[in-house]
Amino acid sequence: MAEPVRVVLSGATGRMGTQLARMIGEEDGMALAGGIGRIPERGCDIGCPVVATPETAGEWIRHADVVIDFSSPELLARLLEMHGDVLAGVALVIGTTGLDEDDQRRIDAQARRSPVLQAANFSVGVNVLLALAQKAAAALGTEYDVEIVEAHHRRKVDAPSGTALALGESVAAGRGVALADVRVDGRSGRPGERPVGEVGFHSVRGGDIVGEHEVMFIGERERVTLGHVAQDRALFAEGALRAAKWLAGRAPGAYSMRDVLGLG
């Protein structure tokens, strides 16, 4: 019988961390090796003996096949800065969003030493939506205005969501432009006539919305709408575990959910 994939959870006591811990305990071929969080070491109820801080996480990582990170930009940065060498060769699955350019540079540098899979959203359906949005943008062109609307629970701290931005990147790739050159976040006052090629983002926050995303391609005589509604947070955990199994043991480099799903 093959050895189970040993997983360390970064952000272990958060909502996604506890969801992942429960599912790892029920998943054949996977074992929870440890957890990492902001708090000092203490006993925990997620199936691991203690939760380590980033400063004391080296032993957990050294004995892991894959680290799954759903923490925060600050915790992830500390983890990479302190344990980049220990992580060398260990697969790293990153679901943390709200990252800045410095955070991304750290991740890109780690991908030269470890297999790294980064995704704004691990839902299989969302990743199909990303591929469809790129194809639609390429086929419809700038004659169709693009508006991206996303909705999440009141506790989400970043906006637009990472998934909305990933959808914008897909649209931009389909049109052969850089998203930074065409992105507009919301509108108020008197912004004037809408420029050709602009990609608009709008964020809704409230209640306990799991996640909803809609991409509208609005033409003069028709509108094409692509969308996704998440009904259970477990679907994100399922996708992350699927990615972790796929990534463990691969060569260093940057990977995506498209690679996992064979979407090209």
Side-chain angles (χ1 to χ4, degrees), residues 178-237:
L179 179 60
D181 294 337
V182 295
R183 171 182 169 180
V184 171
D185 291 5
R187 298 183 186 86
S188 64
R190 294 174 58 85
E193 184 175 338
R194 191 187 203 279
V196 173
E198 183 176 273
V199 177
F201 290 86
H202 309 277
S203 298
V204 176
R205 296 289 178 268
D208 198 34
I209 300 171
V210 175
E212 301 180 8
H213 294 86
E214 184 175 73
V215 186
M216 292 180 283
F217 296 86
I218 308 168
E220 293 289 343
R221 298 179 180 85
E222 64 181 354
R223 181 171 70 207
V224 178
T225 301
L226 303 174
H228 179 270
V229 176
Q231 297 173 315
D232 189 333
R233 288 181 179 84
L235 72 92
F236 306 126

Side-chain angles (χ1 to χ4, degrees), residues 125-136:
V126 162
N127 282 279
V128 172
L129 177 63
L130 291 169
L132 291 173
Q134 182 170 341
K135 290 180 181 295

Side-chain angles (χ1 to χ4, degrees), residues 5 7 10 18 61 63 69 73 76 85-86 104 122 126 144 149 158 181 190 192 195 199 213 218 224 232 235 241 244:
V5 175
V7 180
S10 176
T18 52
I61 297 169
H63 295 98
D69 180 84
L76 176 58
D85 291 337
V86 181
Q104 193 59 54
F122 285 88
V126 162
Y144 287 72
V149 181
D158 57 312
D181 294 337
R190 294 174 58 85
V199 177
H213 294 86
I218 308 168
V224 178
D232 189 333
L235 72 92
L241 295 184

Side-chain angles (χ1 to χ4, degrees), residues 8 32 43 62 71 73 90 122 126 131-132 152 154 186 200 202 213 227 243:
V8 166
L32 182 59
R62 195 169 284 111
S71 58
V90 177
F122 285 88
V126 162
L132 291 173
H152 285 86
R154 66 166 65 94
H202 309 277
H213 294 86

